Every structure is written in C-alpha cells, then in structure tokens.
Amino acid sequence: MRHVVECAWKSLHKHGEELCGDSVIVRSGADSFVAVLSDGLGSGVKANILSTLTAEIAAHLFDAGSSVEDVMQTLLETLPECSVRKLAYATFAVLTVKNGCEASLVEFDSPPLILVRDHALFDLPVEMREVNGRMIREARFDLLKNDCMVMISDGYEHAGLGGIYRLGWGWENIALAVQRFVNTGVDAFKLTQALSRTCLKLYDDKPGDDSTVISMRVRPAVSVSILTGPPANKDLDAFAVSRLEAAEGPKIICGGSTSQMAARVLGEELQVDWIPPKKRTGDAPGKKKGSPPTARLKGMDLVTEGILTLGQTVELLHQAQSVDDLPRDADAATRLARYLLAADDILLIVGSAINPNQVADIIRGESMRMVYIRELVQDLKQRNKQVTIEKI
Amino acid sequence: MRQMLVVTICVGSSCNLRGSDDLAIKIQNLIEKENLEGMVDIVGAFCMDACSRGISVRVGKRQFSGIRPEDGEAFFYKEIMGYEETIP
Ligand code: FES
C-alpha cells in the first residue's frame, strides 16, 4: 500500500505586517513529497521576497535531485542583496520524501526538524558540513508509518520572550509540546492548529515575529472510487460496474440513471432514502429544500443523483480547506465532499453517455456532468490529491 | 385480495422543487380517506429522466410525468383508484 505524508501548515504574521516573511511550499506527487520552509531576513516585503525566492528555488532544485552545493550556489547568485545589510539571506529547511518513506533533510540556519516516533522524540542522524562558507545540516533517514514531523520558523522559538518564557518558547519546549499533542492522536491539521494557537497565545495575540509551522504525518493512503454517468455504449454497463466493484476504498455512484443502471447490472434493489412526509419525525437528514436525495444499493457506500449533487459538491469544496470546515449536514453533496476531502487517491470512472432529454448537453456536445467533473478535478488536484479518470 | 400497489414518486431535484412532498401528502391523505392503507404504498425514486413542468410518478407499471400537486386528487381517483393491471 502507498504511504503518503499528510501535511498542514499555518503562518502567523508579525503583528502589524501585511506580508509574511516566512514562505512555505508543499508539493506532493504520486511517490514524491517536498516541504520547504524559508524565513527571509527582516520582515515585510523584503523578507517576503527573499523567502519566496529561496523556497521556490530550493523546492525545485532539491526535488529535481540537485546537490546542496548547486542549490547554495544558485541561491547566492539569485537573491537580491539587501541595500542596508549588504546581505542576501533567507534560512531554509527542505524535506523531501520518496515513496512515502525515504526522507532527506537539508537545513540552513533554521530550527531543526522535530520528529516523533513511537510516542517519543527521535534524534535524527544529522551531519553538519560547510558549503560555500555556510553551515548546512543534512540527514537521510527512513520514515515509518505514524511518524510525525514538525518544521518551525524561529518565530516559534521566540514566542513568549520576556513573558512566560524568559528566553522564548525554545526548541526543547516546543518539541515536548509536539510530542504531547501527537500522543493524543491528532492528525496534521489538528496538530497545526494546536501549535499555532499556543504560539499566538504566548505572543499575547501580537506575534513579535513571523511564525510558521508545518506539520506532517506518515500514513497509508486513503482511496475512494466513484462511478458517474452511464457508458455511451450500453454493452459496457456491466464492465463499468465491475470496474467500480474492483476499485479500492469506499465506492460511490453519482447519477440517477447511473445508479438505476448499476442496480440492474447487480440485480439489487435501489432504495431511495425518502420517508413519506407524514411518517417523518423531526427533521430528517438532508431535507433542505432543493438538496437531491441519496439512495442505498448493496455494496455501495454512497449513491446520489448526478448534476445537482456534483454542482453542490464543487461549491462546498470551494469553501472548505479541510473536512472540518464542511457543514455538519448529511445531505448527498456534503457526504460526497467529505469522502473526497478525506481521500488521497481518487478514481473517477466516467461514463460519457449524453442525456437525450438535456437539450443543452446536445448543443454543448458534452454533458453538464463533464463540466462539473473538470471543475472538481481541478480543485482536488490543487489539494495535492492523486486523481485518476477512466472514461468509458 | 389484490396485490399491493406501489406508487413511486420521483423525489429528484426537479420534481422535488415542483412539490413531490406536497403531492405525496395529498395522495397519502386520500389513501387514508379511502381506507386503502396496506394496499397502496408510496416510495420515492431518483430522477426518472422525464423532468418536466410537473412531477414524475409511476403507478404500478405505468409511468406518468407532469403531474402537479394541485392535480393530486384527480390523479388519485383516475390512475390509482382506477388502476387496472393489464396483463399482456
Ligand atoms: S427529477 Fe423527477 S424526473 Fe427528473
């Protein structure tokens, strides 16, 4: 099974600054992951430009397999020199992970990466060496399932300075806090929130420096598979349904005719979740006006109608960063959005039949379904999810 | 005794907006009034691909579309009370 690095991050701006001097880049592909945190010298615009450039260059070159020497050289040649300090400078920490386990870390002047393994803080096999006159920390190690890692900018170390902590929160204390949070079983999103909130509190809601945290957790990839639209060729109905049955993860059917087709192929009954108005007690779930119904079909985890549900799901995704931002509803679109946001690998089996009753479809030459699916796929890809489309 | 007659009302998005619920309430009230409980059952269904100006309804094996909630009573007496299964 594929392992993925679940990742979430948050930056707090220095109080009164509009731009953040810390930059974050996170990219993940089918078998590669890279996270970069760069902290530019000073604050505001200058720091922002320095760290953005540094993060971009580092992410790109390290992911492409360049050596530390090349990266440092490129940075030296590219970064604009600060006219006051006669210095071009931004710290960085880069973590790349191949195949969900082979990690390599390069740090330049940034707080060391925190790793929690088996409930305990883990010492990384770090080597120091000088590159172009600068001290670099490097480590290569294998990640295990459930490993949690946290990258911070120095704004975290200084949090609470002069207040609760004479010298600031400090790396050791932060590492202990991370360990404690991790041991409560939180995911990367919750860990980020918890750390960020603590940091903000230590700063008394007015951060004295840009403060960024990136939380990462290694876990098995979550899949979900969706069949939507009947095949253009009726002879392929059974094939489309068998593709869904054989696919990984929860199975979902999106589309009224598609689910009727699947019920026929499976020889099972399609039961629409609809309680006659007079038998309803209280407010039944998903009874918002205009929200399309769901149904039950043996072997399927969710069965919904098509176009409207897809459209509403796209809307919901645009408004949500993570599963926690979704409304607590149980209507078709919210349930579908929940499955999508929780998944890393999404398989879409798309039938290309055109509904003869939809004049607009015929004029457009493609179904409204395809239009929504394109929007959906674009959104999901931006979230670094692996989306596979099979057209039937 | 006659077999249970199933009345399938489309609760898809279009029909729902046009008042599937209201139509269902009407029909249910009439079922009670005519003492047909246990003989006629109402179930919901996905879009029947016949979205129109009214609601799609299936009575036994016969399909109708364009039924409006205000036509409920006439529809009930004509098509549900008067339902005859024609066995081919
Ligand atoms: S929604 Fe009822 S037929 Fe389409």
Side-chain angles (χ1 to χ4, degrees):
Chain A
M1 168 162 275
R2 189 167 90 87
H3 277 76
V4 292
V5 183
E6 174 185 278
C7 179
W9 62 272
K10 190 169 173 63
S11 283
L12 301 170
H13 296 196
K14 178 176 175 179
H15 184 65
E17 289 287 356
E18 219 159 286
L19 282 172
C20 186
D22 293 347
S23 290
V24 172
I25 290 179
V26 175
R27 285 189 193 129
S28 61
D31 45 23
S32 75
F33 170 89
V34 53
V36 185
L37 171 53
S38 174
D39 179 356
L41 183 71
S43 57
V45 186
K46 241 181 239 170
N48 180 274
I49 293 172
L50 284 171
S51 65
T52 310
L53 273 171
T54 304
E56 280 293 347
I57 292 170
H60 184 77
L61 292 183
F62 279 119
D63 203 29
S66 300
S67 69
V68 181
E69 283 75 9
D70 286 349
V71 177
M72 291 310 279
Q73 191 59 39
T74 310
L75 285 173
L76 271 177
E77 287 163 7
T78 321
L79 292 191
E81 232 173 50
C82 168
S83 55
V84 187
R85 303 178 179 90
K86 290 274 172 264
L87 206 61
Y89 177 86
T91 73
F92 64 80
V94 182
L95 177 75
T96 50
V97 180
K98 298 282 176 214
N99 302 318
C101 70
E102 301 147 31
S104 108
L105 175 74
V106 182
E107 291 169 342
F108 167 53
D109 267 7
S110 64
L113 179 83
I114 300 163
L115 171 60
V116 177
R117 172 173 294 173
D118 286 335
H119 307 288
L121 289 167
F122 186 85
D123 277 328
L124 290 168
V126 175
E127 279 174 22
M128 313 262 275
R129 73 189 167 102
E130 212 184 288
V131 178
N132 288 354
R134 303 190 156 172
M135 278 315 265
I136 297 286
R137 293 162 43 90
E138 271 182 297
R140 278 175 192 283
F141 51 101
D142 280 342
L143 288 168
L144 304 179
K145 194 172 119 189
N146 290 329
D147 276 357
C148 272
M149 292 168 288
V150 170
M151 253 182 205
I152 45 173
S153 66
D154 65 356
Y156 265 77
E157 294 181 307
H158 302 148
L161 196 79
I164 314 174
Y165 293 110
R166 288 278 128 226
L167 300 168
W169 197 359
W171 192 90
E172 303 281 332
N173 288 318
I174 299 170
L176 283 174
V178 169
Q179 183 192 3
R180 256 201 320 273
F181 284 132
V182 166
N183 288 348
T184 61
V186 291
D187 61 12
F189 290 97
K190 300 239 170 64
L191 181 57
T192 299
Q193 272 176 4
L195 290 168
S196 177
R197 258 200 303 267
T198 311
C199 181
L200 193 62
K201 210 176 289 163
L202 287 174
Y203 271 126
D204 206 7
D205 289 333
K206 295 183 191 67
D209 194 357
D210 300 315
S211 308
T212 301
V213 57
I214 308 181
S215 311
M216 294 160 281
R217 190 172 68 114
V218 183
R219 59 162 174 76
V222 173
S223 316
V224 67
S225 303
I226 301 169
L227 170 65
T228 180
N233 178 351
K234 271 204 175 331
D235 296 342
L236 293 175
D237 282 2
F239 172 70
V241 175
S242 69
R243 271 300 298 142
L244 179 64
E245 283 187 288
E248 288 203 38
K251 295 164 193 20
I252 298 174
I253 299 181
C254 257
S257 334
T258 316
S259 32
Q260 278 154 25
M261 177 277 282
R264 207 165 46 237
V265 168
L266 294 169
E268 296 287 346
E269 201 191 337
L270 180 72
Q271 279 178 305
V272 174
D273 295 317
W274 180 82
I275 308 165
K278 296 187 79 179
K279 291 190 193 145
R280 280 175 209 165
T281 48
D283 30 21
K287 279 295 162 281
K288 283 185 297 180
K289 263 270 183 213
S291 79
T294 55
R296 268 159 239 267
L297 183 62
K298 207 172 151 205
M300 300 299 145
D301 296 275
L302 176 64
V303 181
T304 76
E305 283 199 328
I307 309 307
L308 253 136
T309 308
L310 283 173
Q312 290 180 356
T313 307
V314 171
E315 277 307 304
L316 283 169
L317 288 185
H318 285 340
Q319 289 159 19
Q321 279 224 349
S322 79
V323 177
D324 297 320
D325 300 333
L326 290 174
R328 301 267 166 265
D329 302 335
D331 62 293
T334 314
R335 285 172 65 192
L336 180 57
R338 215 168 273 143
Y339 274 113
L340 290 171
L341 286 179
D344 306 293
D345 298 342
I346 297 160
L347 171 66
L348 286 164
I349 307 165
V350 185
S352 44
I354 281 196
N355 184 343
N357 297 320
Q358 299 277 316
V359 184
D361 282 7
I362 298 165
I363 298 170
R364 207 183 297 111
E366 80 177 338
S367 57
M368 195 58 207
R369 181 190 315 279
M370 275 321 292
V371 177
Y372 280 135
I373 286 179
R374 251 204 309 278
E375 255 188 77
L376 197 67
V377 170
Q378 197 190 2
D379 182 288
L380 295 170
K381 283 198 170 156
Q382 267 166 14
R383 296 171 194 262
N384 285 324
K385 297 184 187 294
Q386 297 302 308
V387 186
T388 313
I389 302 181
E390 269 184 34
K391 284 200 191 175
I392 297 186
Chain B
M1 203 184 87
R2 199 164 81 168
Q3 225 193 323
M4 169 92 85
L5 179 63
V6 179
V7 177
T8 313
I9 299 184
C10 176
V11 292
S13 334
S14 164
C15 293
N16 197 40
L17 283 174
R18 296 195 152 87
S20 320
D21 278 5
D22 297 341
L23 183 65
I25 292 176
K26 272 216 171 130
I27 295 178
Q28 229 164 4
N29 285 339
L30 289 161
I31 291 174
E32 281 163 28
K33 188 173 151 209
E34 299 294 339
N35 286 317
L36 289 175
E37 288 137 303
M39 293 177 72
V40 182
D41 199 14
I42 303 185
V43 298
F46 270 174
C47 175
M48 297 181 184
D49 279 337
C51 314
S52 61
R53 284 156 184 283
I55 301 149
S56 302
V57 183
R58 203 159 45 225
V59 181
K61 290 189 175 137
R62 306 183 55 193
Q63 175 146 357
F64 305 87
S65 62
I67 312 297
R68 289 173 305 173
E70 54 267 35
D71 304 334
E73 188 155 339
F75 180 79
F76 176 81
Y77 285 108
K78 181 156 180 275
E79 307 295 351
I80 298 178
M81 288 288 278
Y83 183 77
E84 291 286 344
E85 199 153 343
T86 37
I87 300 151

